[in-house]
Amino acid sequence: MNSNIKISYPGSEKVYMQGSIYPDVRVGMRLVKQMPTVTVNGGERVETPNPSIYIYDTSGPYSDENVSIDLEKGLPRMRESWIKARAEKDADNIGQMYYAKKGIITPEMEYVAIRENMNCKDLGIESHITPEFVRKEVAEGRAVIPANVNHPESEPMIIGRNFLVKINTNIGNSATTSSIEEEVEKAVWSCKWGGDTIMDLSTGNNIHETREWILRNCPVPVGTVPMYQAMEKVKGKVEDLTWELYRDVLIEQCEQGVDYFTIHCGIRLKNVMYAADRLTGMVSRGGSIISKWCQIHQKESFLYEHFDDICDIVARYDVALSLGDGLRPGSIYDANDAAQFAELDTMGELVERAWAKNVQVFIEGPGHVPMHKIQENMERQIEKCHNAPFYTLGPLVTDIAPGYDHITSAIGAAQIGWLGTAMLCYVTPKEHLALPNKDDVRNGVIAFKLAAHAADLAKQHPGAMVRDNALSKARYEFRWKDQFNLSLDPEKALEYYKTANHVGGKYCTMCGPNFCAMKISQTLCEEK
Amino acid sequence: MNSNIKISYPGSEKVYMQGSIYPDVRVGMRLVKQMPTVTVNGGERVETPNPSIYIYDTSGPYSDENVSIDLEKGLPRMRESWIKARAEKDADNIGQMYYAKKGIITPEMEYVAIRENMNCKDLGIESHITPEFVRKEVAEGRAVIPANVNHPESEPMIIGRNFLVKINTNIGNSATTSSIEEEVEKAVWSCKWGGDTIMDLSTGNNIHETREWILRNCPVPVGTVPMYQAMEKVKGKVEDLTWELYRDVLIEQCEQGVDYFTIHCGIRLKNVMYAADRLTGMVSRGGSIISKWCQIHQKESFLYEHFDDICDIVARYDVALSLGDGLRPGSIYDANDAAQFAELDTMGELVERAWAKNVQVFIEGPGHVPMHKIQENMERQIEKCHNAPFYTLGPLVTDIAPGYDHITSAIGAAQIGWLGTAMLCYVTPKEHLALPNKDDVRNGVIAFKLAAHAADLAKQHPGAMVRDNALSKARYEFRWKDQFNLSLDPEKALEYYKTANHVGGKYCTMCGPNFCAMKISQTLCEEK
């Protein structure tokens, strides 16, 4: 295995912004330097400088040439000293929500406040996001900072609708296809393109070891579905699942450093049968497993019954809960139906129970939803779940495009992100068809990064437009390299550009040299 | 050149639906047959049939195995007899709008009424779309049937917000890259994947010949920007353009059979300078050319001044006008600005002048627009342009994703389509970077087909959900072939599916054999 994986971005420098409350808070960012704008004035060449642009950076130490990477040792444990200092003071209550409610701003909170405001300071853009604002959002449950005390390698990030829209990528071996080495490389690959969190959905052998490698080398929060490991333990026999066995899995994963758990605790015995009326039944793995358990034993699920116990466990590690939507619609036809909304009501009840124990919580959402039914999802989630963050899979706005579902879902994701969804779970082109390879992951991540960014623009997040404006100005001035360096995927942009015969440079190959609109337009302006 | 190009779709049969007003109206469609659903009931295997599904078909005779294709001869001239019959009665007034206003339903109108309602009859779905409804929409200018009398090879289709959302693809050689043969193949390629109209944007040599080949072999309406040919005639010297020269180009193209012209007649001398305040000036080729002309000659553009003359010419051929948005924004920053909206006002004035001469007209729209500014575009267009159909390029909802702009624009396209845009101009992954190759065209077309279909679902177009429901049911029942055959790109779906190791078939490779949600869910239902 390549134990010296590094990430580099063209024209980009790794820089750190220091905290003012906590001087040891150092927020990693990318800084893209631009070429000057060149004009000719009275026969003289004039250079006007263009500002450097900060870019939100999920690549962690992998893009810092001063940090040497050793996968055997794992990443630097950035948060360790903060966590230790807290543990010395409060042995039992160590969570972000606990401190937030007490009025205390943690280093993690200052970290995310700096991270969310990248270009604001330099460009004089006003922002509502202060460390105190972050604290308040966490205290009131509107935002979550997933940060297991046993995952100090993770850089703090925040999930909430008053912040930048985040994206999650799923990785994981299923049965026989991929190896542990591949999974770690996939995790780093996701971070390279901008994945804000990673869910490790491995279901085969070596679940524990795969996760250990990922956690120790992952600069972003890691989520799991603990039920998958529980199912391995009972060798796929649903009926053999018990609370005790599941609890042990939770503790094991808390100890390892998983930052959030998807738990399908919103399925009630009385709601299971709603799915029978559907076109596509239940499409959530975790949801279908626990439903089957309920049906076999004819009793309420242990995830629901033991929800308070679950909260007690995860609170000790500050693991966040992601309430999984076992009854999410798997087709346009099933969207916004009774099954889906019954589960949402139960989730709303559980949110309040989690908060009572200072457990951070967010809510998973659909799925397949036509555009005219997206808004109802968002509004209902906010109402029923008391403003807890929403985390949706897509939604896919049509069922008819297998092979292109990264696009059908990016369309829904951009819209629901604009309406208030805090995190978008990516979908790759292979959704419904096969496991994604590296190229599929890249395509899925970029599709969702652009959807999330489109949502940030529509929400008018402070400074979100800075990057668009810089890139468009570079485009207009034929500063091709700046255009590529500022783009979500500089390598792809350059690769496509190179397929054309560029003569001279001052036009693009769509129009040819004589008809370039931007060139004519520039002449118009110069002649004015 | 391959003069026997054929198109085939797996599991799909070419069928024709006959008109009842006009028995010689035969609307080509694809019919996808499905496998039965197999269940086991009391140990006995039970087969329940699934209905055949009609699919809107833009592939014309290319997908009819009973028609032999000869590119030298061109396609069968389906509309010829209808056109002749009309010409014998009314020598001067031969347009769809003229007849519509007179209360006459043409064969073209019945054709599109049948085409828009594909699955409604068989499945008993009520539809507002009758031939009379089509007539009324055309009469009142809310919809356009582009149908040059000299392009009888084209199959009638309708562009209007109360119909299925359509997509246009741009093809065309620029300067040196592509050959005539390639252009014709690109046209057929676009039709294969679902392009509803084609714009031939060729700008190099052989413009006339390229267009001739395309027109004679194209089963969908063809649009052009006549200014490009005019520019060839003046060898790129903007100042040498004249009304007379431009008029001759119009007549030449009317005679050849172009179905609609993009004309940048909305730019007034007083508005040209608005663009100087922009981040990215003017990004429309036609717009920048005519603006430069206005500036050089310091007078109103001949496109605006001679708009009535233009209408008189195109009315004789029933060529539709697409009022080009020369001042469309080229960046998020420039969206919805004074320049853009000033041009829209002028277009609104011209719409009424076109209608007075029974000329069908639609309006081109942006461009780059953040999501929260899309709705204003649509509402303002409807108001200012008196309900004439809107035809937008995207819009792209962010500037930061060169290489993925088919996705940034599909996001905007789906939304504006839902809000009422009648036709969406596709964008390929190479937008801003290079000319698209065949694979880029396919990706662009499918991205826009799915966006248009998502809009149809959101608009609740009669029967739009039939295909989604059938595909999802097939997916749930592991009828893989049916799922692929019903999808927008069956070849891609199959290709991706094959990358996985499918054992046995009754699960997909995302979950593996033990954890398949749909399998467990089916078991739940069976056991009920």
Side-chain angles (χ1 to χ4, degrees):
Chain A
M1 183 172 188
N2 178 0
S3 64
N4 197 19
I5 304 176
K6 295 296 284 191
I7 295 173
S8 72
Y9 303 95
S12 168
E13 189 190 338
K14 185 88 180 192
V15 294
Y16 293 89
M17 218 177 267
Q18 199 177 12
S20 51
I21 306 174
Y22 297 97
D24 61 335
V25 163
R26 289 173 70 244
V27 183
M29 294 179 183
R30 292 170 48 201
L31 188 64
V32 173
K33 296 215 170 122
Q34 297 196 83
M35 312 262 282
T37 300
V38 177
T39 45
V40 178
N41 195 340
E44 205 134 334
R45 182 189 154 94
V46 182
E47 290 196 359
T48 316
N50 288 296
S52 296
I53 305 293
Y54 289 101
I55 293 181
Y56 193 104
D57 184 14
T58 55
S59 64
Y62 291 100
S63 57
D64 186 339
E65 55 182 33
N66 300 316
V67 177
S68 70
I69 301 290
D70 181 342
L71 295 187
E72 304 282 344
K73 282 166 75 177
L75 296 179
R77 302 165 70 82
M78 191 190 74
R79 290 172 54 237
E80 194 163 50
S81 59
W82 312 342
I83 295 163
K84 263 193 187 156
R86 283 196 292 261
E88 282 162 16
K89 277 195 211 161
D90 306 85
D92 287 328
N93 281 298
I94 42 74
Q96 298 294 323
M97 190 176 217
Y98 166 76
Y99 288 107
K101 284 181 182 172
K102 297 255 283 187
I104 295 167
I105 294 167
T106 63
E108 285 87 348
M109 294 174 200
E110 187 181 27
Y111 191 105
V112 301
I114 295 169
R115 203 172 189 187
E116 294 275 323
N117 281 328
M118 284 165 300
N119 291 291
C120 294
K121 205 175 157 191
D122 282 24
L123 300 174
I125 298 164
E126 231 176 286
S127 171
H128 61 276
I129 301 173
T130 60
E132 169 56 21
F133 180 83
V134 171
R135 185 203 60 75
K136 196 161 176 283
E137 291 290 295
V138 172
E140 293 172 8
R142 267 192 306 278
V144 167
I145 300 176
N148 186 328
V149 294
N150 292 328
H151 189 203
E153 301 89 350
S154 170
E155 299 181 347
M157 53 78 72
I158 193 160
I159 300 165
R161 74 172 188 270
N162 295 316
F163 300 93
L164 291 164
V165 176
K166 305 303 187 297
I167 74 158
N168 172 70
T169 71
N170 294 333
I171 57 172
N173 62 328
S174 96
T176 50
T177 46
S178 48
S179 71
I180 292 172
E181 284 79 6
E182 281 172 27
E183 295 312 318
V184 177
E185 286 204 82
K186 262 193 236 167
V188 175
W189 184 247
S190 158
C191 295
K192 170 175 176 173
W193 298 112
D196 292 290
T197 75
I198 281 169
M199 289 198 74
D200 172 19
L201 302 184
S202 299
T203 54
N205 296 322
N206 308 318
I207 266 189
H208 183 96
E209 199 187 345
T210 304
R211 195 167 47 232
E212 187 65 25
W213 280 70
I214 291 173
L215 280 165
R216 298 290 73 80
N217 292 288
C218 191
V220 303
V222 173
T224 63
V225 185
M227 183 60 87
Y228 299 167
Q229 186 173 4
M231 280 291 277
E232 294 295 335
K233 294 207 170 188
V234 295
K235 300 194 168 53
K237 282 192 180 162
V238 173
E239 54 272 34
D240 292 352
L241 289 169
T242 62
W243 158 243
E244 290 72 21
L245 182 140
Y246 184 83
R247 182 198 57 201
D248 292 348
V249 170
L250 285 189
I251 293 169
E252 174 187 335
Q253 297 197 12
C254 284
E255 286 289 336
Q256 274 193 300
V258 173
D259 299 286
Y260 64 91
F261 291 145
T262 290
I263 301 193
H264 298 89
C265 44
I267 292 178
R268 301 288 307 269
L269 183 60
K270 61 181 181 187
N271 298 338
V272 171
M273 272 314 137
Y274 274 131
D277 297 329
R278 286 183 153 182
L279 182 66
T280 51
M282 215 177 285
V283 295
S284 151
R285 273 189 277 177
S288 63
I289 290 165
I290 200 65
S291 296
K292 189 162 186 184
W293 188 93
C294 291
Q295 200 187 40
I296 292 169
H297 295 286
Q298 277 303 307
K299 56 182 182 184
E300 212 61 85
S301 98
F302 56 81
L303 300 177
Y304 179 79
E305 292 281 297
H306 287 276
F307 186 74
D308 290 327
D309 299 321
I310 292 171
C311 290
D312 287 333
I313 293 167
V314 298
R316 291 203 297 273
Y317 303 86
D318 204 12
V319 171
L321 293 183
S322 180
L323 305 190
D325 54 336
L327 288 162
R328 71 167 172 268
S331 58
I332 293 296
Y333 184 88
D334 290 339
N336 297 21
D337 69 351
Q340 188 196 333
F341 287 148
E343 186 180 33
L344 193 65
D345 291 346
T346 308
M347 287 167 163
E349 173 207 325
L350 299 178
V351 163
E352 294 190 305
R353 283 161 62 184
W355 287 347
K357 291 177 184 287
N358 293 330
V359 170
Q360 302 188 93
V361 61
F362 47 97
I363 310 294
E364 294 184 15
H368 293 239
V369 184
M371 285 191 288
H372 63 298
K373 293 190 175 178
I374 287 178
Q375 189 166 359
E376 187 189 5
N377 269 280
M378 190 67 234
E379 287 173 357
R380 204 166 172 133
Q381 188 274 340
I382 289 175
E383 185 204 329
K384 300 288 180 188
C385 297
H386 322 290
N387 290 301
F390 206 21
Y391 164 34
T392 61
L393 180 72
L396 289 71
V397 295
T398 167
D399 303 341
I400 69 168
Y404 299 82
D405 278 330
H406 61 312
I407 306 180
T408 64
S409 58
I411 291 172
Q415 284 184 38
I416 207 162
W418 171 24
L419 294 170
T421 289
M423 186 156 76
L424 308 168
C425 185
Y426 92 153
V427 169
T428 78
K430 294 243 176 78
E431 181 78 16
H432 300 117
L433 300 169
L435 275 179
N437 62 22
K438 275 182 82 173
D439 206 43
D440 299 319
V441 170
R442 175 180 176 179
N443 279 313
V445 173
I446 300 289
F448 274 68
K449 285 301 279 185
L450 68 85
H453 183 72
D456 292 334
L457 289 176
K459 285 164 62 176
Q460 301 173 67
H461 185 91
M465 238 175 83
V466 169
R467 189 172 176 182
D468 294 75
N469 295 352
L471 188 147
S472 286
K473 187 165 185 280
R475 177 177 285 156
Y476 189 61
E477 294 172 355
F478 299 100
R479 286 183 281 115
W480 289 100
K481 275 192 183 168
D482 290 343
Q483 187 191 152
F484 302 154
N485 294 346
L486 287 164
S487 70
L488 282 176
D489 187 343
E491 295 170 33
K492 180 79 79 185
L494 180 62
E495 179 195 324
Y496 283 175
Y497 175 80
K498 280 185 176 166
T499 63
N501 291 321
H502 289 271
V503 190
K506 268 236 163 176
Y507 60 90
C508 40
T509 40
M510 273 96 64
C511 303
N514 297 322
F515 291 163
C516 172
M518 295 201 302
K519 200 174 125 195
I520 300 173
S521 175
Q522 279 196 335
T523 324
L524 278 172
C525 295
E526 281 162 18
E527 284 166 3
K528 196 179 56 160
Chain B
M1 182 172 190
N2 178 359
S3 63
N4 197 20
I5 304 174
K6 295 296 285 190
I7 294 173
S8 73
Y9 303 96
S12 168
E13 189 190 337
K14 184 89 181 190
V15 295
Y16 293 88
M17 218 176 267
Q18 200 177 12
S20 51
I21 307 173
Y22 298 97
D24 61 336
V25 162
R26 289 173 71 242
V27 183
M29 292 179 185
R30 293 171 46 202
L31 188 64
V32 173
K33 297 215 169 119
Q34 296 195 84
M35 312 262 282
T37 299
V38 178
T39 45
V40 179
N41 196 339
E44 203 132 335
R45 183 189 154 95
V46 181
E47 291 196 359
T48 316
N50 287 297
S52 297
I53 305 293
Y54 290 100
I55 293 182
Y56 193 104
D57 184 14
T58 55
S59 63
Y62 291 100
S63 58
D64 186 339
E65 55 182 32
N66 299 316
V67 178
S68 69
I69 301 291
D70 181 342
L71 295 187
E72 305 281 345
K73 283 168 74 177
L75 296 178
R77 302 165 69 82
M78 191 190 76
R79 291 171 53 236
E80 194 163 52
S81 60
W82 310 342
I83 295 163
K84 264 192 186 154
R86 284 196 290 261
E88 281 162 17
K89 278 195 211 162
D90 307 84
D92 289 326
N93 281 299
I94 42 74
Q96 298 293 324
M97 191 176 217
Y98 165 77
Y99 287 108
K101 284 181 181 172
K102 296 254 285 186
I104 295 167
I105 293 168
T106 63
E108 286 86 348
M109 293 173 201
E110 187 181 26
Y111 192 105
V112 300
I114 294 169
R115 204 172 189 186
E116 295 275 324
N117 281 330
M118 286 163 301
N119 290 292
C120 294
K121 206 176 155 189
D122 281 24
L123 300 175
I125 298 165
E126 230 175 287
S127 172
H128 61 277
I129 302 172
T130 60
E132 170 56 21
F133 179 82
V134 171
R135 186 204 60 74
K136 195 160 176 283
E137 291 290 295
V138 172
E140 293 173 6
R142 267 192 306 277
V144 166
I145 300 176
N148 186 328
V149 295
N150 291 329
H151 189 203
E153 300 90 350
S154 170
E155 298 181 347
M157 52 79 72
I158 193 160
I159 300 164
R161 75 170 187 270
N162 295 317
F163 300 93
L164 291 163
V165 176
K166 306 303 187 298
I167 73 158
N168 171 70
T169 71
N170 294 332
I171 56 172
N173 61 327
S174 93
T176 50
T177 46
S178 49
S179 71
I180 292 172
E181 284 78 5
E182 281 171 27
E183 295 312 317
V184 176
E185 286 204 80
K186 262 192 237 169
V188 176
W189 184 247
S190 158
C191 295
K192 169 174 176 174
W193 298 113
D196 293 289
T197 75
I198 281 170
M199 289 198 75
D200 172 18
L201 303 184
S202 300
T203 55
N205 297 321
N206 308 317
I207 266 189
H208 183 96
E209 199 187 343
T210 303
R211 194 167 49 232
E212 187 65 26
W213 279 71
I214 291 173
L215 280 164
R216 299 291 73 80
N217 290 289
C218 191
V220 303
V222 174
T224 63
V225 185
M227 183 59 86
Y228 299 167
Q229 187 173 3
M231 280 291 277
E232 294 294 337
K233 295 207 170 189
V234 295
K235 299 194 168 53
K237 282 191 183 163
V238 173
E239 55 272 33
D240 292 352
L241 289 168
T242 63
W243 159 244
E244 289 72 22
L245 181 141
Y246 184 84
R247 181 198 58 203
D248 293 348
V249 170
L250 286 189
I251 293 169
E252 175 187 334
Q253 298 198 11
C254 284
E255 286 289 334
Q256 274 193 299
V258 173
D259 299 285
Y260 63 92
F261 292 144
T262 290
I263 302 193
H264 298 89
C265 44
I267 292 179
R268 302 288 307 271
L269 183 60
K270 62 179 180 188
N271 298 337
V272 171
M273 274 312 139
Y274 274 132
D277 296 330
R278 286 181 152 182
L279 183 66
T280 51
M282 216 177 281
V283 296
S284 151
R285 274 189 278 176
S288 63
I289 292 165
I290 200 65
S291 296
K292 189 163 184 183
W293 188 93
C294 291
Q295 199 188 40
I296 291 169
H297 295 286
Q298 277 302 308
K299 55 181 182 185
E300 212 60 88
S301 99
F302 56 81
L303 299 177
Y304 178 79
E305 292 282 295
H306 287 275
F307 186 74
D308 289 328
D309 299 321
I310 292 171
C311 290
D312 287 333
I313 294 167
V314 299
R316 292 202 298 272
Y317 301 86
D318 204 13
V319 171
L321 293 183
S322 180
L323 306 191
D325 54 337
L327 288 163
R328 72 167 171 268
S331 58
I332 292 296
Y333 183 88
D334 290 339
N336 296 24
D337 70 351
Q340 189 197 333
F341 286 148
E343 184 180 35
L344 193 66
D345 291 346
T346 308
M347 288 167 161
E349 173 207 326
L350 300 176
V351 163
E352 294 190 306
R353 283 161 62 184
W355 287 346
K357 291 175 182 291
N358 293 329
V359 170
Q360 302 188 94
V361 61
F362 46 98
I363 310 293
E364 294 184 14
H368 293 239
V369 185
M371 285 190 288
H372 64 298
K373 293 190 174 177
I374 288 177
Q375 190 166 358
E376 187 188 6
N377 270 279
M378 191 67 232
E379 288 173 357
R380 203 165 173 135
Q381 189 274 341
I382 289 176
E383 185 205 330
K384 300 289 180 186
C385 297
H386 322 290
N387 290 302
F390 207 20
Y391 164 33
T392 61
L393 179 72
L396 289 72
V397 295
T398 167
D399 303 341
I400 69 168
Y404 299 82
D405 278 330
H406 59 312
I407 306 179
T408 64
S409 57
I411 291 172
Q415 285 185 38
I416 207 161
W418 173 23
L419 294 170
T421 290
M423 186 156 75
L424 308 168
C425 184
Y426 93 152
V427 169
T428 78
K430 294 243 177 79
E431 181 78 16
H432 300 119
L433 300 170
L435 275 177
N437 62 23
K438 276 180 83 172
D439 206 43
D440 298 320
V441 169
R442 175 179 176 181
N443 279 312
V445 173
I446 300 289
F448 273 68
K449 286 301 279 186
L450 69 85
H453 183 73
D456 291 336
L457 289 175
K459 284 163 62 176
Q460 300 174 67
H461 186 91
M465 238 174 83
V466 168
R467 189 171 176 184
D468 295 75
N469 296 351
L471 188 147
S472 286
K473 186 165 185 279
R475 177 177 286 157
Y476 188 63
E477 294 172 356
F478 299 98
R479 287 181 281 114
W480 291 100
K481 274 192 184 169
D482 289 343
Q483 187 191 151
F484 302 154
N485 294 346
L486 287 164
S487 69
L488 282 176
D489 186 344
E491 295 171 33
K492 179 80 78 186
L494 180 61
E495 178 195 324
Y496 283 175
Y497 174 79
K498 280 185 177 168
T499 64
N501 291 319
H502 289 272
V503 191
K506 268 236 166 178
Y507 60 91
C508 40
T509 41
M510 272 99 62
C511 303
N514 296 322
F515 291 162
C516 174
M518 296 200 300
K519 199 174 125 193
I520 299 173
S521 175
Q522 279 196 336
T523 325
L524 277 172
C525 296
E526 281 162 17
E527 284 165 3
K528 194 180 53 160

